[in-house]
Structure formats: C-alpha cells, structure tokens
Amino acid sequence: MKRNSDYYTKLAKSKGYPARSVFKLKEIQEKYRVIRVNDKILEIGSSPGSWSLYIFRELKLKGSIVAVDLVPSEVSADEYSRYTFIQGDIMDDTITKKIASYGSFNVVLSDAAPSTSGNRLIDSSRSYEIAKRVLEVGIKLLKGGGNIVVKTLQGGETGKLKSEMSRYFGFSKLFKPAASRSESTEIFLIGMNFKS
Ligand SMILES: C[S@@+](CC[C@H](N)C(=O)[O-])C[C@H]1O[C@@H](n2cnc3c(N)ncnc32)[C@H](O)[C@@H]1O
C-alpha cells in the first residue's frame, strides 16, 4: 500500500532508525529473502546506517557487514562487533581494493545515491555509473549462489543494467518498494543466485 512519505519518516524515527530507507530493504527482504542469518554482507552507500541496524536488530544477523560510504556511519562498531565501516568512494580503486581485502561476500547491497542536481538526465546517468560499478564489484566479490540489491534511478540505462545482471544471476528483477517516494524514479535491481 502506498503511504505518504511523512508516514515512513515518522515510523523510522519511532523505531530508532536514522533513515526511512530502512522500509525499502524490509520490503525487499520480505519479498525476496536476499539475506540469510549467517551471511557476510557488503553494503555500499550505507550511511547513516538504517539498513545495517535493521539487519542486526530485526534479521538477527550472526554473520558480518562491511559497510562503505562517503560520509560517516551512525552505527557503532562498539555495539555491533561484526560491523566494519570504510569511509570512501566506491568509484575509487583504492577503496575497492580495501573492500577486497575482506574476501568474498554472500550478499552485496547498495542504496548508494549521488546528490541530485534536479536534472533527471544528469541524475540518472550519475546513478547509472554508481550502479554499474556496484555490479562490477559484486561480480568480482560475490560467492557462488550470492545475492545483490542495487539501487538506481530509472533512465535509458536501466534496461542495460538489468540485462547485464541477468547474464550473471539465475534470477533478476526490477522492484519499486511501496516505501519509495512515488515522485522518485528510484528502483532496485535484485539479482539472486550468482553464477560464479
Ligand atoms: C540514501 S543514502 C543510504 C541510506 C542507507 N541505506 C541507510 O539505510 O541509512 C545514500 C548514501 O549513498 C552514499 N553514496 C553516494 N555516492 C557514493 C559513492 N560514490 N561511494 C560511496 N557512497 C556513496 C551517500 O553518501 C549516502 O550516504
């Protein structure tokens, strides 16, 4: 059911989550079961940290999360010992090398979004560049059978991303959560069962 954006913002705050985006991952998880309890997860564009908190608190993750963002995280590594945060740009090779030093992952999640300019063409092309990079990182670092979730802004290149994904994953799908603002062009690409 579609609700107004205030509804999700208030609900997130009342549940102790810094960002409303938590409900998007919750919907994805309830529909596709992309995360399992012992998984080792790479999360790109993770700050302030609602997705990580949801995974630890509600999915009771026993595995670990390596999280990456340009800006600091609000998740405390003291409280969650299986949480590692890397501050940096996913487009930067030194950051992807640092991520690779943690080995391979069962799941790659990306809610990374460029700051928007208001120009749909520019925004969707920036978002495409990030999503393409996330997909490349996923293809390099996912274990066989792994899953990926990648946010992008719909535009001319969304079909290209989707067909690239279907080459590498047994199942791929485009999904727009109800919690995503209706005026936003954001959409999530879900890839499951990575063919290593
Ligand atoms: C919508 S927020 C993510 C919210 C997060 N899922 C949560 O639940 O708290 C998008 C994030 O993507 C990050 N981001 C954008 N471009 C990035 C890049 N090139 N590398 C790493 N992070 C990036 C931004 O700094 C921002 O924190």
Side-chain angles (χ1 to χ4, degrees):
M1 192 200 349
K2 279 276 167 205
R3 301 183 191 257
N4 70 35
S5 52
D6 264 10
Y7 169 83
Y8 288 107
T9 306
K10 283 183 191 149
L11 193 61
K13 298 288 170 218
S14 75
K15 290 180 176 283
Y17 290 112
R20 64 195 294 281
S21 52
V22 62
F23 299 110
K24 300 174 199 172
L25 181 61
K26 190 171 189 303
E27 277 182 72
I28 291 169
Q29 175 65 9
E30 284 170 1
K31 194 167 169 74
Y32 296 104
R33 304 276 162 207
V34 287
I35 299 163
R36 284 155 299 190
V37 76
N38 291 310
D39 281 348
K40 184 174 160 197
I41 299 169
L42 169 63
E43 196 194 336
I44 299 164
S46 57
S47 292
S50 296
W51 281 21
S52 304
L53 289 173
Y54 162 76
I55 294 166
F56 282 124
R57 289 177 187 166
E58 292 186 41
L59 303 183
K60 314 273 183 233
L61 185 78
K62 293 198 178 81
S64 58
I65 300 179
V66 173
V68 185
D69 203 294
L70 295 169
V71 300
S73 169
E74 290 181 20
V75 179
S76 152
D78 293 337
E79 191 176 350
Y80 298 99
S81 58
R82 285 169 280 106
Y83 179 78
T84 304
F85 180 70
I86 299 170
Q87 187 165 351
D89 187 338
I90 192 63
M91 308 305 280
D92 178 345
D93 287 343
T94 60
I95 294 299
T96 50
K97 277 187 194 134
K98 201 165 176 181
I99 296 170
S101 72
Y102 289 89
S104 54
F105 296 86
N106 304 103
V107 179
V108 173
L109 303 173
S110 172
D111 194 21
S115 29
T116 46
S117 69
N119 178 316
R120 281 205 170 191
L121 257 168
I122 294 173
D123 293 343
S124 76
S125 113
R126 283 184 187 153
S127 161
Y128 168 70
E129 291 306 323
I130 295 178
K132 190 162 88 118
R133 175 72 159 184
V134 169
L135 191 52
E136 281 164 13
V137 170
I139 289 164
K140 237 182 246 166
L141 297 183
L142 271 174
K143 296 178 199 256
N147 301 326
I148 193 167
V149 173
V150 188
K151 177 160 86 179
T152 190
L153 299 182
Q154 289 180 77
E157 311 282 22
T158 312
K160 214 156 127 184
L161 281 172
K162 166 84 166 55
S163 56
E164 185 69 356
M165 196 176 254
S166 55
R167 284 178 53 205
Y168 292 95
F169 292 84
F171 169 88
S172 64
K173 190 93 188 156
L174 283 166
F175 179 66
K176 171 96 175 163
S180 176
R181 295 178 204 274
S182 49
E183 66 275 20
S184 161
T185 59
E186 78 175 358
I187 194 149
F188 290 83
L189 286 137
I190 320 269
M192 298 187 72
N193 197 11
F194 179 58
K195 307 170 199 165
S196 56

